């Protein structure tokens, strides 16, 4: 998974509950407002920029770290960006109340959506690539045809700014959450609301597990898990963290999920129980700082090196002496055994 740290976009490889830091993707242009993988995991797309100066989307090849493309030239930060499952389109959610879709290969703008009445806070392609969901600070949630930007559904309105959107893996259900403390699920057959319920006081993020359960987190410092009808599931409320939980992401096997909070902590939990598995830092020391710390530690250990070497040499000498003594004793025992056997043979012959 990826997240923004002080020195760029950091990559962590997750194996079970073991993590290890991988190379940093430099992003000197500004700050990331959104980070997400393409549907097959081969690309990473960032939406962001620098407030009042630049807004765009950047796409990296995850394997090589190479920048694949950069699209958009906004005058303010892009609030969110996504790439279509076929890697052919990139969509931007802008502060100018517009949704813009671009061709990845040419950088050409394919269409513009201008129906939102406030900053566009989210833009997410459905997993099958057919639909595009968008949201804004006025609480509106829309669904569009991904190919041409034609309106598909005007789903409804939260009473606060929409903070996150999430598609279920089958593309048939969309979840939205808002600063008013509500989570709403919508079905795509008729564009109707499935359920709406309160959670966390201010819901910051929602995410579906691959097997269809809905995770959420928010200002109360907890995460929770639900059915699409709003019934709370196994792990209940999970561990209360020391600050607002701003993001939740389900991992590929549905068995664990990750949260990020305002303290910069990235914490891994077991989906079924809410039990914490491990934790990593979003801003580990930079390389230069780690080298200084290593040199300092070496200097601290150096005075103990000579005594340790002397102790090791003494131990080796004692071991060698013990082995020699054992060989002598063994040889003596063998000689005694030979004498006993020889005497027994002599006695038998004499008889």
């Amino acid at each position: 998974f990826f997240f923004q740290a002080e020195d760029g976009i950091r990559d962590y490889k997750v194996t079970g509950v073991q993590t290890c830091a991988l190379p940093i993707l430099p992003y000197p242009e500004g700050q990331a407002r959104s980070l997400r993988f393409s549907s097959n995991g081969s690309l990473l797309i960032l939406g962001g920029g620098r407030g009042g100066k630049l807004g765009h989307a950047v796409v990296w090849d995850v394997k090589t770290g190479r920048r694949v493309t950069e699209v958009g030239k906004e005058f303010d930060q892009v609030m969110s960006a996504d790439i279509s499952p076929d890697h052919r389109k990139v969509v931007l959610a802008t502060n100018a109340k517009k949704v813009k879709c671009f061709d990845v290969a040419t950088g050409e703008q394919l269409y513009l959506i201008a129906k939102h009445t406030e900053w566009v806070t989210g833009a997410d392609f459905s997993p099958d690539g057919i639909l595009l969901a968008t949201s804004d600070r006025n609480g509106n949630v829309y669904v569009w045809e991904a190919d041409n930007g034609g309106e598909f559904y005007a789903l409804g309105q939260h009473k606060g700014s929409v903070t996150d959107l999430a598609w279920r893996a089958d593309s048939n259900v969309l979840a939205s959450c808002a600063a008013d403390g509500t989570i709403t699920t919508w079905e795509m057959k008729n564009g109707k609301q499935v359920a709406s319920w309160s959670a966390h006081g201010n819901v910051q993020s929602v995410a579906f597990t691959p097997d269809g359960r809905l995770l959420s987190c928010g200002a109360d410092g907890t995460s929770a898990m639900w059915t699409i009808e709003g019934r709370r599931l196994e792990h209940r409320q999970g561990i209360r963290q020391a600050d607002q939980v701003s993001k939740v992401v389900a991992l590929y096997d549905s068995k664990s999920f990750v949260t990020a909070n305002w303290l910069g902590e990235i914490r891994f939990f077991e989906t079924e129980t809410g039990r914490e598995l491990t934790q990593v830092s979003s801003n580990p020391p930079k390389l230069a700082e780690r080298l200084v710390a290593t040199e300092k530690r070496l200097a601290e250990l150096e005075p103990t090196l000579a005594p340790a070497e002397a102790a090791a040499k003494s131990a080796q000498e004692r071991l060698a002496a013990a082995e020699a003594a054992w060989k002598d004793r063994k040889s003596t025992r063998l000689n005694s055994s030979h004498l006993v056997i020889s005497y027994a043979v002599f006695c038998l012959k004499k008889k």
Side-chain angles (χ1 to χ4, degrees), residues 3-15:
F3 57 86
Q4 182 167 29
E6 291 176 353
D7 50 1
I9 308 304
R10 284 191 174 272
D11 177 9
Y12 268 81
K13 181 180 180 181
V14 181
T15 307

Side-chain angles (χ1 to χ4, degrees), residues 21-44:
L22 296 176
I24 297 168
L25 304 178
Y27 183 63
E29 292 95 326
Q31 292 184 323
R33 295 303 300 256
S34 71
L35 283 170
R36 66 187 72 192
F37 288 106
S38 61
S39 59
N40 67 1
S42 65
L43 300 176
L44 175 74

Side-chain angles (χ1 to χ4, degrees), residues 35-221:
L35 283 170
R36 66 187 72 192
F37 288 106
S38 61
S39 59
N40 67 1
S42 65
L43 300 176
L44 175 74
I45 182 166
L46 171 152
R50 195 173 297 279
K53 293 184 178 180
L54 169 70
H56 62 173
V58 178
V59 181
W60 285 275
D61 183 294
V62 172
K63 196 171 187 180
T64 65
R66 179 180 62 88
R67 282 197 181 198
V68 175
T69 191
E70 176 185 343
V71 297
K73 293 182 179 179
E74 300 299 308
F75 295 109
D76 204 347
Q77 280 186 322
V78 167
M79 302 299 289
S80 181
D82 196 12
I83 189 166
S84 60
D86 61 7
H87 297 178
R88 296 176 63 183
K89 296 183 289 292
V90 166
V91 65
L92 307 184
T94 76
N95 290 354
K97 309 175 188 178
K98 305 289 194 298
V99 178
K100 298 181 178 181
C101 186
F102 295 85
D103 185 287
V104 170
T106 65
E108 175 189 359
Q109 184 174 302
L110 300 175
Y111 57 81
L112 172 73
I113 297 170
K115 191 165 183 177
H116 284 280
T117 57
E118 250 291 1
W119 288 11
V120 185
T121 57
D124 291 45
F125 286 109
S126 61
D128 60 12
I130 295 173
L131 300 174
L132 169 68
T134 62
S135 59
D136 64 36
R137 288 206 307 184
N138 272 343
N140 297 299
V141 181
Y142 292 97
V143 175
W144 316 88
E145 294 179 62
D147 279 344
N148 54 35
E151 186 174 326
F152 199 73
Y153 292 129
L155 291 178
Q157 189 172 23
H158 290 267
K159 293 180 181 179
S161 175
V162 178
T163 51
D164 204 7
L165 298 168
W167 286 98
R168 197 170 69 182
D170 62 4
S171 301
N172 291 327
V173 176
L174 175 72
S176 58
C177 63
D180 62 5
T182 60
I183 300 171
T184 304
T185 51
W186 317 86
E187 54 84 16
M188 292 299 106
K189 185 176 181 180
N190 299 299
K192 302 296 183 183
Q193 183 183 113
V194 177
S196 186
W197 64 95
S198 297
H200 307 293
N202 176 341
V203 191
Q204 295 286 306
S205 180
V206 286
F208 278 103
T209 61
D211 61 12
R213 293 171 290 179
L214 183 64
L215 294 163
S216 66
C217 65
D220 64 352

Side-chain angles (χ1 to χ4, degrees), residues 222-243:
T222 68
S223 58
M225 186 165 63
W226 318 84
T227 67
I228 62 169
E229 295 80 20
R231 179 172 60 85
R232 181 165 279 171
L233 290 176
E234 295 91 345
H235 98 242
R236 298 180 177 85
Q237 205 156 352
I239 293 173
R240 184 174 295 276
Q241 301 184 35
D243 211 329

Side-chain angles (χ1 to χ4, degrees), residues 264-286:
E265 298 169 340
I266 297 172
R267 303 172 72 168
F268 291 70
F269 296 89
E270 188 175 61
T271 306
E272 297 297 331
T273 65
R275 178 176 64 90
E276 185 165 12
L277 301 173
T278 191
Q279 184 177 149
V280 298
S281 171
S282 61
N283 283 301
K286 297 178 182 178

